[in-house]
Amino acid sequence: MGEISITKLLVVGALIVLLFGTKKLRTLGSDLGSAIKGFKKAMAEEEPVKRADNQADTPAGQIDNKN
């Protein structure tokens, strides 16, 4: 009972296909893929805004005037 073998995974996969059908699983997979793609796009759009804010807040280095 402790180990998950390849045969157990195949049986579970076959049961899932029988329960939901291939069309439903294909639709679910494409919906999940588009959701992940949208999330990555939103994260990529937000990064430049955060970087610009951080650069504006950081002070410039000190200038030493040695005469």
Side-chain angles (χ1 to χ4, degrees):
M1 184 79 186
E3 265 187 58
I4 300 175
S5 65
I6 190 72
T7 55
K8 289 180 184 177
L9 288 175
L10 289 174
V11 169
V12 169
L15 289 174
I16 290 173
V17 169
L18 287 174
L19 283 174
F20 296 109
T22 56
K23 186 175 181 181
K24 181 87 169 181
L25 290 176
R26 188 178 310 130
T27 306
L28 180 67
S30 66
D31 290 344
L32 182 64
S34 64
I36 291 172
K37 188 183 292 186
F39 178 74
K40 285 182 180 180
K41 183 179 177 183
M43 292 300 293
E45 288 176 356
E46 190 164 325
E47 269 185 31
V49 173
K50 284 185 179 180
R51 287 183 184 166
D53 289 343
N54 288 343
Q55 288 176 356
D57 292 340
T58 55
Q62 291 181 345
I63 300 174
D64 291 331
N65 288 331
K66 293 185 181 181
N67 292 336

